[in-house]
Amino acid sequence: MIPEYTPINCSFYDYFEAFAVKKQVVTIVYFNENGDTETVESRIKDLFSRNKVEYVLLENDLEIRLDYVKELEGMKNGGYCKNV
């Protein structure tokens, strides 16, 4: 069963947007669907929502749920958005 989506911290989301605008290659550490940690390096192609879940789409066409991201460029996901 896939866990319910919990929106990420708004400030952490802003970093995704900034790196997307800069078209900079970033390192993302995330949990895959099995709960294992993976690391990927790619550019952020898009940020989008589907069925009330936010995702990052990378240049290599990998989609990652934002609440599965552990780190973005060494910055840790600092919790969840309280304004939801």
Side-chain angles (χ1 to χ4, degrees):
M1 181 175 179
I2 298 173
E4 185 175 328
Y5 179 74
T6 305
I8 64 169
N9 182 289
C10 300
S11 297
F12 194 56
Y13 186 91
D14 291 343
Y15 290 118
F16 282 92
E17 288 183 323
F19 286 121
V21 169
K22 292 178 184 178
K23 300 181 188 222
Q24 178 179 336
V25 174
V26 294
T27 301
I28 298 175
V29 179
Y30 67 100
F31 297 105
N32 64 23
E33 292 182 5
N34 297 323
D36 298 321
T37 302
E38 294 194 31
T39 302
V40 63
E41 289 187 4
S42 187
R43 286 183 177 82
I44 297 172
K45 191 173 180 181
D46 195 13
L47 294 159
F48 67 95
S49 295
R50 180 174 56 231
N51 299 325
K52 298 182 181 180
V53 176
E54 295 174 302
Y55 293 87
V56 59
L57 174 64
L58 303 179
E59 191 174 57
N60 61 4
D61 290 328
L62 177 65
E63 291 180 8
I64 304 171
R65 275 178 51 154
L66 290 184
D67 61 340
Y68 286 6
V69 174
K70 184 177 176 182
E71 292 180 19
L72 171 66
E73 279 299 294
M75 295 174 283
K76 297 195 184 305
N77 183 352
Y80 299 97
C81 188
K82 295 177 173 55
N83 297 331
V84 177

